[in-house]
Amino acid sequence: MKTAITELFGVKYPILLAGMGRVALPNMVAAVSNAGGLGVLGAGSSPPDLTREMIREIRTLTDKPFGVNAPLMIPNGKENAEVALQEKAPIINYSMGRGDWIAKAAHAYGGKVMASVTNVRFAERAQAHGADAVIAAGMEAAGHAGDVTTFVLIPRLVETLRIPVIAAGGVANGAGLVGALALGAAGVSMGTRFLLTQESPLHPNFKQAALGLDVSDTIFSDRFDGVFNRVMKTPAAVRAEKTWMNPFQVFLDSFGIARELRTPYLKLFAQVITAGPKQTLELMRMSQMLKMHTITLTTGDIDAGMTASGMSVGLVHDVPTIAELMERMVAEAKSAHARLNASMEDAPPVPALAENAA
Ligand SMILES: Cc1cc2nc3c(=O)[nH]c(=O)nc-3n(C[C@H](O)[C@H](O)[C@H](O)COP(=O)(O)O)c2cc1C
């Protein structure tokens, strides 16, 4: 499996662990990279010194290339990108913002940059800003997804961009990988599939519940944090979509959040208030999501927790180790490819072509 991104990143397989905040932690990153893929740390809104520790921990667990994801618009997002640059992370994956400064600084030490995008405009902008590749999330994807499906978005970007396109959203097995490559992608990035592995920190209650879900058991709404976001259909998600947030509760929760982000309360308060009315509202909503997400990683209370999840949750039927999953994906991809080759060889020639040949 040689593609533009196996060459660009120096990995064996074009399979990426999506940089899921609070989920894609050093053990998962190293497991994916050690298995020949590219593990990407989900720095999310982690305190910057924790991000630095996690990057250093990854280096003790693997000598293979890895990436660091930083969503720039959330608290600690930009700071985490700065930490990744200071630590000379081999690959930096930014989302939700402008990354020209990241590309410039990463290229100076030989690092590579991937931008996560959801539409053609953002992808073209990322290319103009110096990104080496884009991760394009179709509407099937978990979390912040666009309104175009992976099946349409990927070929559209491939015909437009000069840089490689990595497909995200809806890929959970080897056939999905081959399908994405057939559409012109240079690799795939998977979130939901890796969320349901042994190494994932998702509470076993949620892993078990996810196995009972089908492809339509997600909710795609902008009611959670102001941007369209796909989550697992849990009782809490159903309620959150219908209820307006309680500003008093947000205020009460904000103290705990400042502690969790290891940010002085007044600094966080100022960041939120000065972000502009729209973003302030989004950040307030996001804080409620963060609280419900914590439940999926700690107590496992099925009624109260909420996590991002893609439609591909309905394609996941077990909870393997990452090494097992990687091995299986490669075997499935090879047999899907062989099946395609065989069906092409057996197929009768297309009449117009046969006439031309005659
Ligand atoms: C639990 C979870 C957390 C996520 N957190 C982030 C994040 O912090 N940053 C980000 O860019 N994408 C995040 N994503 C989205 C993934 O990067 C990716 O786009 C998506 O999972 C791909 O779709 P799939 O789930 O169908 O594989 C998250 C996804 C999941 C499932």
Side-chain angles (χ1 to χ4, degrees):
M1 281 192 208
K2 201 164 149 186
T3 73
I5 66 139
T6 58
E7 299 301 289
L8 184 67
F9 299 148
V11 295
K12 197 166 167 200
Y13 301 123
I15 302 174
L16 278 69
L17 164 68
M20 299 175 274
R22 310 164 98 202
V23 170
L25 299 177
N27 64 326
M28 290 184 77
V29 174
V32 173
S33 289
N34 284 334
L38 184 78
V40 179
L41 176 73
S45 54
S46 304
D49 35 341
L50 177 61
T51 299
R52 193 183 303 282
E53 277 166 35
M54 292 195 289
I55 293 173
R56 292 184 178 173
E57 187 183 344
I58 293 168
R59 287 200 155 110
T60 66
L61 300 172
T62 185
D63 56 2
K64 300 279 193 301
F66 66 91
V68 177
N69 171 274
L72 301 180
M73 257 155 60
I74 65 176
N76 287 339
K78 284 204 180 86
E79 290 83 350
N80 281 332
E82 277 159 11
V83 166
L85 289 168
Q86 287 157 11
E87 293 294 310
K88 296 189 169 43
I91 296 137
I92 300 184
N93 166 215
Y94 70 88
S95 56
M96 301 171 88
R98 183 181 171 133
D100 45 355
W101 58 280
I102 300 176
K104 197 166 164 227
H107 291 159
Y109 66 79
K112 304 283 183 228
V113 173
M114 304 186 284
S116 291
V117 299
T118 52
N119 61 37
V120 179
R121 193 167 59 89
F122 289 166
E124 284 176 336
R125 196 176 68 159
Q127 177 175 268
H129 286 169
D132 300 288
V134 292
I135 302 179
M139 81 178 291
E140 301 92 323
H144 296 129
D147 54 3
V148 179
T149 60
T150 306
F151 207 87
V152 174
L153 183 62
I154 299 307
R156 178 70 186 92
L157 292 181
V158 169
E159 70 182 20
T160 303
L161 301 183
R162 291 183 308 277
I163 55 177
V165 177
I166 297 159
V171 180
N173 53 39
L177 167 58
V178 172
L181 296 181
L183 292 174
V188 296
S189 171
M190 303 192 300
T192 304
R193 177 59 276 200
F194 281 118
L195 179 67
L196 300 169
T197 56
Q198 292 291 325
E199 290 89 338
S200 154
L202 187 71
H203 192 282
N205 292 354
F206 280 89
K207 288 184 187 171
Q208 195 53 41
L211 295 183
L213 299 180
D214 213 327
V215 289
S216 40
D217 292 330
T218 62
I219 302 180
F220 192 45
S221 172
D222 61 353
R223 292 296 296 271
F224 306 126
D225 63 3
V227 185
F228 272 90
N229 202 328
R230 188 176 299 287
V231 303
M232 200 179 279
K233 194 172 185 178
T234 56
V238 172
R239 283 196 302 275
E241 198 199 4
K242 292 197 187 119
T243 33
W244 183 237
M245 80 182 154
N246 174 350
F248 183 63
Q249 188 62 48
V250 174
F251 175 68
L252 288 183
D253 292 339
S254 61
F255 295 96
I257 288 172
R259 257 196 317 278
E260 198 175 321
L261 303 184
R262 294 188 207 160
T263 300
Y265 185 77
L266 286 178
K267 186 178 167 203
L268 181 71
F269 189 75
Q271 250 177 11
V272 171
I273 292 298
T274 56
K278 189 167 171 277
Q279 228 206 324
T280 299
L281 207 62
E282 284 171 14
L283 289 168
M284 285 166 74
R285 286 190 183 145
M286 217 180 267
S287 74
Q288 296 307 283
M289 269 196 86
L290 197 70
K291 190 173 141 192
M292 288 186 272
H293 189 230
T294 302
I295 294 169
T296 69
L297 304 172
T298 52
T299 62
D301 179 351
I302 286 288
D303 186 59
M306 177 163 112
T307 178
S309 163
M311 292 182 183
S312 64
V313 69
L315 300 176
V316 174
H317 308 298
D318 61 0
V319 183
T321 65
I322 285 176
E324 282 162 359
L325 176 64
M326 292 289 291
E327 207 176 299
R328 185 199 302 171
M329 287 231 6
V330 172
E332 285 171 349
K334 283 184 180 158
S335 73
H337 186 229
R339 209 169 49 239
L340 276 181
N341 272 347
S343 65
M344 300 280 183
E345 278 161 19
D346 293 347
V350 180
L353 294 179
E355 272 164 31
N356 287 347

